[in-house]
Amino acid sequence: YCLGSGLSWEPRSRAVEQVHLRCTEGFLEWTYPARALRVVLEPNLSSAQHTTVCIKPSSDFQGASIYVERAGQLHLVVSEAEGAGPHHVSCFSAHTPQRVALFVQASPQRDISRRTASFQYELLSNQSTAGQDFKKMALVEATCRPCDNVELLMAICSSDFVVKGSIRNVSHDSENHMSQVDVSIQKVYRQKTRIFQQDEASGEWRGPIRTLLQCQVKKGGGDFLFTGNEHFGEAWLGCAPRFKDFMFIYRAARERGANPCEFQLN
Protein backbone atom coordinates (compact mmCIF):
# COMPACT_ATOMS: atom_id res chain seq x y z
CA TYR A 1 0.00 0.00 0.00
CA CYS A 2 1.73 3.18 -1.19
CA LEU A 3 0.55 6.77 -0.65
CA GLY A 4 2.05 9.98 -2.03
CA SER A 5 1.27 13.54 -3.07
CA GLY A 6 2.57 15.75 -5.83
CA LEU A 7 2.41 18.71 -3.44
CA SER A 8 5.45 17.41 -1.56
CA TRP A 9 7.79 17.93 -4.53
CA GLU A 10 9.89 20.99 -5.23
CA PRO A 11 7.90 23.28 -7.59
CA ARG A 12 10.81 23.80 -10.01
CA SER A 13 12.04 20.22 -9.98
CA ARG A 14 11.77 18.22 -13.20
CA ALA A 15 12.86 14.98 -11.57
CA VAL A 16 10.76 11.86 -11.96
CA GLU A 17 9.95 10.33 -8.58
CA GLN A 18 10.96 6.66 -8.27
CA VAL A 19 8.87 4.14 -6.31
CA HIS A 20 9.84 0.48 -5.84
CA LEU A 21 7.10 -1.97 -4.83
CA ARG A 22 8.14 -5.44 -3.64
CA CYS A 23 4.76 -7.18 -3.35
CA THR A 24 3.03 -9.26 -6.02
CA GLU A 25 -0.16 -7.24 -5.46
CA GLY A 26 -0.84 -3.85 -3.96
CA PHE A 27 -2.41 -0.41 -4.13
CA LEU A 28 -0.92 2.96 -5.06
CA GLU A 29 -2.59 6.33 -4.40
CA TRP A 30 -1.14 9.55 -5.83
CA THR A 31 -2.96 12.74 -4.87
CA TYR A 32 -2.46 16.05 -6.70
CA PRO A 33 -0.47 14.34 -9.50
CA ALA A 34 2.41 16.48 -10.79
CA ARG A 35 4.98 15.71 -13.47
CA ALA A 36 5.60 11.94 -13.44
CA LEU A 37 6.01 8.91 -11.24
CA ARG A 38 8.04 5.82 -12.17
CA VAL A 39 6.73 2.73 -10.38
CA VAL A 40 8.96 -0.34 -10.48
CA LEU A 41 7.34 -3.65 -9.56
CA GLU A 42 10.06 -5.94 -8.19
CA PRO A 43 8.56 -8.85 -6.25
CA ASN A 44 10.70 -10.35 -3.50
CA LEU A 45 9.97 -13.86 -4.78
CA SER A 46 12.80 -14.01 -7.30
CA SER A 47 11.88 -17.57 -8.34
CA ALA A 48 8.35 -16.66 -9.41
CA GLN A 49 7.75 -16.12 -13.12
CA HIS A 50 5.07 -13.43 -13.25
CA THR A 51 4.09 -13.42 -16.89
CA THR A 52 1.04 -11.14 -16.66
CA VAL A 53 0.44 -7.75 -15.01
CA CYS A 54 -3.10 -6.48 -14.38
CA ILE A 55 -4.02 -2.95 -13.31
CA LYS A 56 -7.41 -1.80 -12.04
CA PRO A 57 -7.84 2.00 -11.70
CA SER A 58 -10.04 3.28 -8.89
CA SER A 59 -13.49 4.52 -9.87
CA ASP A 60 -12.39 8.12 -9.12
CA PHE A 61 -9.12 7.84 -11.09
CA GLN A 62 -8.17 11.35 -12.29
CA GLY A 63 -5.20 13.47 -13.17
CA ALA A 64 -2.86 11.00 -14.85
CA SER A 65 -2.34 8.25 -17.40
CA ILE A 66 -0.43 4.99 -16.90
CA TYR A 67 2.16 3.62 -19.32
CA VAL A 68 4.30 0.48 -19.28
CA GLU A 69 7.98 0.94 -20.05
CA ARG A 70 9.46 -1.45 -22.62
CA ALA A 71 12.88 -1.20 -24.23
CA GLY A 72 13.06 2.50 -23.46
CA GLN A 73 9.63 3.25 -24.93
CA LEU A 74 6.32 3.99 -23.20
CA HIS A 75 3.10 2.17 -24.17
CA LEU A 76 -0.25 3.47 -22.93
CA VAL A 77 -2.07 1.10 -20.55
CA VAL A 78 -4.68 3.33 -18.85
CA SER A 79 -5.67 6.77 -20.07
CA GLU A 80 -7.29 9.32 -17.76
CA ALA A 81 -10.51 9.09 -19.80
CA GLU A 82 -10.74 5.31 -19.28
CA GLY A 83 -10.05 5.36 -15.57
CA ALA A 84 -13.63 5.91 -14.44
CA GLY A 85 -15.00 2.48 -15.44
CA PRO A 86 -15.95 0.44 -12.35
CA HIS A 87 -14.77 -2.85 -13.88
CA HIS A 88 -12.03 -1.59 -16.16
CA VAL A 89 -8.95 -3.80 -15.80
CA SER A 90 -5.98 -3.67 -18.14
CA CYS A 91 -3.68 -6.67 -18.46
CA PHE A 92 -0.45 -7.03 -20.40
CA SER A 93 2.40 -9.50 -20.64
CA ALA A 94 5.51 -8.86 -18.57
CA HIS A 95 8.49 -8.99 -20.94
CA THR A 96 10.85 -9.13 -17.94
CA PRO A 97 9.04 -11.21 -15.27
CA GLN A 98 11.28 -10.10 -12.39
CA ARG A 99 10.94 -6.35 -13.00
CA VAL A 100 8.13 -4.29 -14.52
CA ALA A 101 8.32 -0.49 -14.78
CA LEU A 102 5.18 1.66 -14.96
CA PHE A 103 5.25 5.36 -15.82
CA VAL A 104 2.41 7.44 -14.32
CA GLN A 105 2.25 10.73 -16.24
CA ALA A 106 0.31 13.61 -14.67
CA SER A 107 -2.15 15.42 -16.95
CA PRO A 108 -1.74 19.19 -17.45
CA GLN A 109 -4.04 21.22 -15.20
CA ARG A 110 -4.60 24.91 -14.54
CA ASP A 111 -5.87 24.80 -10.98
CA ILE A 112 -4.89 23.15 -7.71
CA SER A 113 -8.13 21.18 -7.26
CA ARG A 114 -7.71 17.73 -5.74
CA ARG A 115 -7.27 14.87 -8.16
CA THR A 116 -6.33 11.33 -7.24
CA ALA A 117 -4.67 8.78 -9.50
CA SER A 118 -4.96 5.50 -7.62
CA PHE A 119 -4.93 1.91 -8.81
CA GLN A 120 -4.53 -1.69 -7.72
CA TYR A 121 -2.10 -4.04 -9.40
CA GLU A 122 -1.54 -7.79 -9.49
CA LEU A 123 1.31 -9.86 -10.89
CA LEU A 124 0.00 -13.19 -12.17
CA SER A 125 1.85 -16.40 -12.98
CA ASN A 126 0.02 -17.79 -15.97
CA GLN A 127 0.83 -18.68 -19.56
CA SER A 128 -2.42 -17.28 -20.98
CA THR A 129 -2.06 -14.35 -23.35
CA ALA A 130 -3.37 -11.26 -21.58
CA GLY A 131 -5.13 -8.51 -23.48
CA GLN A 132 -6.34 -5.02 -22.78
CA ASP A 133 -9.65 -5.90 -21.19
CA PHE A 134 -11.18 -7.46 -18.09
CA LYS A 135 -12.54 -10.46 -19.94
CA LYS A 136 -9.04 -11.67 -20.80
CA MET A 137 -7.87 -11.24 -17.21
CA ALA A 138 -10.81 -13.33 -16.01
CA LEU A 139 -9.75 -16.16 -18.33
CA VAL A 140 -6.84 -16.75 -15.99
CA GLU A 141 -9.36 -18.41 -13.66
CA ALA A 142 -12.62 -19.06 -15.49
CA THR A 143 -12.41 -21.89 -17.98
CA CYS A 144 -16.13 -22.48 -18.63
CA ARG A 145 -15.79 -26.24 -18.31
CA PRO A 146 -16.13 -28.74 -15.47
CA CYS A 147 -12.91 -29.54 -13.63
CA ASP A 148 -11.60 -33.07 -13.85
CA ASN A 149 -10.83 -35.00 -10.66
CA VAL A 150 -7.17 -34.00 -10.54
CA GLU A 151 -7.97 -30.31 -11.01
CA LEU A 152 -10.64 -30.49 -8.32
CA LEU A 153 -8.34 -32.14 -5.79
CA MET A 154 -5.70 -29.48 -6.46
CA ALA A 155 -8.30 -26.69 -6.22
CA ILE A 156 -9.18 -27.49 -2.61
CA CYS A 157 -5.49 -27.24 -1.73
CA SER A 158 -4.46 -24.09 -3.59
CA SER A 159 -7.56 -21.89 -4.08
CA ASP A 160 -7.93 -18.56 -2.31
CA PHE A 161 -11.39 -19.60 -1.15
CA VAL A 162 -13.15 -22.93 -0.56
CA VAL A 163 -16.77 -22.79 0.65
CA LYS A 164 -19.80 -25.06 0.79
CA GLY A 165 -23.07 -23.42 -0.16
CA SER A 166 -26.04 -23.05 -2.44
CA ILE A 167 -26.90 -20.58 -5.20
CA ARG A 168 -29.29 -17.82 -4.12
CA ASN A 169 -29.31 -15.91 -7.40
CA VAL A 170 -27.43 -15.44 -10.67
CA SER A 171 -27.28 -12.03 -12.39
CA HIS A 172 -25.67 -11.13 -15.72
CA ASP A 173 -23.80 -8.00 -16.80
CA SER A 174 -23.59 -8.10 -20.60
CA GLU A 175 -21.75 -4.77 -20.82
CA ASN A 176 -18.79 -6.07 -18.82
CA HIS A 177 -19.11 -9.70 -19.99
CA MET A 178 -19.54 -10.97 -16.43
CA SER A 179 -21.98 -13.00 -14.37
CA GLN A 180 -22.36 -12.84 -10.60
CA VAL A 181 -23.37 -15.83 -8.49
CA ASP A 182 -24.78 -14.88 -5.09
CA VAL A 183 -24.06 -17.72 -2.70
CA SER A 184 -25.59 -18.71 0.62
CA ILE A 185 -22.74 -20.26 2.62
CA GLN A 186 -23.08 -23.23 4.96
CA LYS A 187 -19.36 -23.57 5.75
CA VAL A 188 -16.28 -21.51 5.00
CA TYR A 189 -13.30 -23.83 4.75
CA ARG A 190 -10.91 -21.11 3.64
CA GLN A 191 -10.97 -17.56 2.34
CA LYS A 192 -8.08 -15.17 1.71
CA THR A 193 -9.99 -12.04 2.69
CA ARG A 194 -13.47 -11.33 4.04
CA ILE A 195 -15.43 -11.62 0.79
CA PHE A 196 -17.87 -14.02 2.43
CA GLN A 197 -19.37 -12.38 5.50
CA GLN A 198 -22.02 -13.17 8.08
CA ASP A 199 -25.24 -11.14 8.01
CA GLU A 200 -25.75 -9.64 11.47
CA ALA A 201 -29.54 -9.90 11.35
CA SER A 202 -30.01 -13.42 10.00
CA GLY A 203 -26.65 -14.92 10.94
CA GLU A 204 -26.36 -16.31 7.40
CA TRP A 205 -23.03 -16.28 5.58
CA ARG A 206 -23.21 -14.84 2.08
CA GLY A 207 -20.99 -13.61 -0.71
CA PRO A 208 -20.74 -12.93 -4.47
CA ILE A 209 -18.64 -14.95 -6.91
CA ARG A 210 -17.89 -13.70 -10.43
CA THR A 211 -17.37 -15.62 -13.65
CA LEU A 212 -17.48 -14.96 -17.37
CA LEU A 213 -20.80 -14.28 -19.08
CA GLN A 214 -19.88 -16.80 -21.78
CA CYS A 215 -19.85 -19.57 -19.14
CA GLN A 216 -23.68 -19.25 -19.07
CA VAL A 217 -24.00 -19.99 -15.36
CA LYS A 218 -27.56 -20.80 -14.29
CA LYS A 219 -29.21 -21.14 -10.92
CA GLY A 220 -29.29 -24.75 -9.74
CA GLY A 221 -30.57 -26.43 -6.60
CA GLY A 222 -28.56 -28.35 -4.05
CA ASP A 223 -25.23 -27.81 -2.34
CA PHE A 224 -21.98 -27.07 -4.16
CA LEU A 225 -18.32 -26.78 -3.21
CA PHE A 226 -17.23 -23.40 -4.60
CA THR A 227 -13.51 -22.82 -5.13
CA GLY A 228 -11.58 -20.09 -6.89
CA ASN A 229 -9.18 -17.20 -6.52
CA GLU A 230 -9.43 -13.52 -5.69
CA HIS A 231 -8.55 -10.66 -8.01
CA PHE A 232 -8.78 -7.03 -6.89
CA GLY A 233 -10.93 -7.95 -3.89
CA GLU A 234 -13.42 -10.02 -5.91
CA ALA A 235 -13.94 -13.80 -5.87
CA TRP A 236 -13.61 -15.51 -9.28
CA LEU A 237 -15.07 -18.96 -9.80
CA GLY A 238 -12.80 -21.95 -10.32
CA CYS A 239 -14.05 -25.50 -9.75
CA ALA A 240 -17.61 -25.81 -8.41
CA PRO A 241 -18.81 -29.44 -8.24
CA ARG A 242 -21.92 -30.59 -6.45
CA PHE A 243 -20.88 -31.27 -2.89
CA LYS A 244 -21.94 -34.93 -2.92
CA ASP A 245 -19.86 -35.51 -6.07
CA PHE A 246 -16.86 -33.84 -4.45
CA MET A 247 -17.20 -36.03 -1.34
CA PHE A 248 -17.21 -39.19 -3.48
CA ILE A 249 -14.11 -38.04 -5.43
CA TYR A 250 -12.19 -36.96 -2.33
CA ARG A 251 -12.93 -40.11 -0.31
CA ALA A 252 -11.89 -42.35 -3.21
CA ALA A 253 -8.64 -40.37 -3.62
CA ARG A 254 -7.89 -40.54 0.10
CA GLU A 255 -8.37 -44.31 0.17
CA ARG A 256 -5.81 -44.59 -2.65
CA GLY A 257 -3.48 -42.10 -0.95
CA ALA A 258 -3.87 -39.83 -3.99
CA ASN A 259 -5.21 -36.73 -2.21
CA PRO A 260 -2.62 -33.90 -2.52
CA CYS A 261 -3.73 -32.35 0.80
CA GLU A 262 -5.99 -33.14 3.75
CA PHE A 263 -9.50 -31.69 3.65
CA GLN A 264 -11.83 -31.31 6.61
CA LEU A 265 -14.81 -33.51 5.77
CA ASN A 266 -17.01 -32.69 8.78
Side-chain angles (χ1 to χ4, degrees), residues 51-55 68 70 77 90-94 100 102 130-132:
T51 60
T52 302
V53 182
C54 291
I55 294 174
V68 61
R70 287 176 177 159
V77 177
S90 294
C91 297
F92 52 90
S93 60
V100 177
L102 302 176
Q132 296 289 341

Side-chain angles (χ1 to χ4, degrees), residues 49-115:
Q49 294 295 313
H50 299 102
T51 60
T52 302
V53 182
C54 291
I55 294 174
K56 182 179 182 181
S58 300
S59 58
D60 59 350
F61 185 94
Q62 284 185 315
S65 295
I66 304 174
Y67 299 80
V68 61
E69 189 178 284
R70 287 176 177 159
Q73 294 185 334
L74 299 179
H75 301 269
L76 182 65
V77 177
V78 177
S79 69
E80 182 176 11
E82 294 175 333
H87 297 298
H88 180 82
V89 173
S90 294
C91 297
F92 52 90
S93 60
H95 286 191
T96 53
Q98 307 304 333
R99 191 172 187 272
V100 177
L102 302 176
F103 194 81
V104 189
Q105 174 70 56
S107 304
Q109 57 189 55
R110 296 181 179 180
D111 55 45
I112 198 64
S113 60
R114 180 185 174 94
R115 292 174 174 84

Side-chain angles (χ1 to χ4, degrees), residues 96-145:
T96 53
Q98 307 304 333
R99 191 172 187 272
V100 177
L102 302 176
F103 194 81
V104 189
Q105 174 70 56
S107 304
Q109 57 189 55
R110 296 181 179 180
D111 55 45
I112 198 64
S113 60
R114 180 185 174 94
R115 292 174 174 84
T116 301
S118 56
F119 62 89
Q120 294 173 270
Y121 74 89
E122 284 191 13
L123 303 179
L124 306 176
S125 300
N126 191 275
Q127 298 302 316
S128 299
T129 301
Q132 296 289 341
D133 56 42
F134 194 50
K135 184 171 65 173
K136 292 291 181 63
M137 193 280 287
L139 285 172
V140 172
E141 299 303 331
T143 58
C144 294
R145 62 171 176 79

